[in-house]
């Protein structure tokens, strides 16, 4: 990863590490497996509709941080929260909107 970000993660999951891509749950299930954490205890941050579907199908708490396409009502129903940006996610965590779980961090592409 560029800029020395790889060492900030305890596990990295990328294309080729799982059978089916998003919206299948495989990328998120692989990340949880590598971390040794139950998916229901994981917080997934996603910017796309297929990513939200994937994380939700994996059974993870999902927060959408929309990129180009805003969430539909269907997508909103799959999320525990919608945040305008990563600062908003931080506020959710700090203010109890999402209960943080002390666990390793993973990135699922």
């Amino acid at each position: 990863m560029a800029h020395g970000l790889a060492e900030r993660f305890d596990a990295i999951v990328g294309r080729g590490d799982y059978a089916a891509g998003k919206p299948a749950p495989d990328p998120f299930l692989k990340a949880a497996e590598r971390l040794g954490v139950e998916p229901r205890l994981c917080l997934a941050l996603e910017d796309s509709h297929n990513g939200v579907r994937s994380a939700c199908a994996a059974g993870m708490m999902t927060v959408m941080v929309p990129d180009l396409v805003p969430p539909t009502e269907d997508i909103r129903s799959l999320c525990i929260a919608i945040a305008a940006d990563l600062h908003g996610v931080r506020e959710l965590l700090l203010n109890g909107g999402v209960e943080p779980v002390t666990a390793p961090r993973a990135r699922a592409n």
Side-chain angles (χ1 to χ4, degrees), residues 71-106:
T72 61
E73 285 306 312
D74 179 52
I75 292 298
R76 284 181 180 278
S77 72
L78 300 176
C79 298
I80 61 169
I82 306 292
D85 53 31
L86 294 178
H87 296 289
V89 173
R90 180 179 182 274
E91 290 303 312
L92 283 169
L93 293 170
L94 291 175
N95 295 323
V98 176
E99 219 170 287
V101 176
T102 303
R105 300 163 311 276

Side-chain angles (χ1 to χ4, degrees), residues 8 21 23 25 30 35 48 51 58 62 69 91 104 108:
R8 292 181 172 246
K30 179 58 76 175
L35 293 170
S48 72
T62 306
V69 181
E91 290 303 312

Side-chain angles (χ1 to χ4, degrees), residues 1-2 4-18 27 30-35 104-109:
M1 289 182 130
L5 292 176
E7 58 269 4
R8 292 181 172 246
F9 296 94
D10 296 303
I12 296 174
V13 175
R15 179 175 286 177
D17 291 337
Y18 44 84
K30 179 58 76 175
E33 175 188 315
R34 286 192 176 169
L35 293 170
R105 300 163 311 276
R107 177 182 169 103
N109 291 330

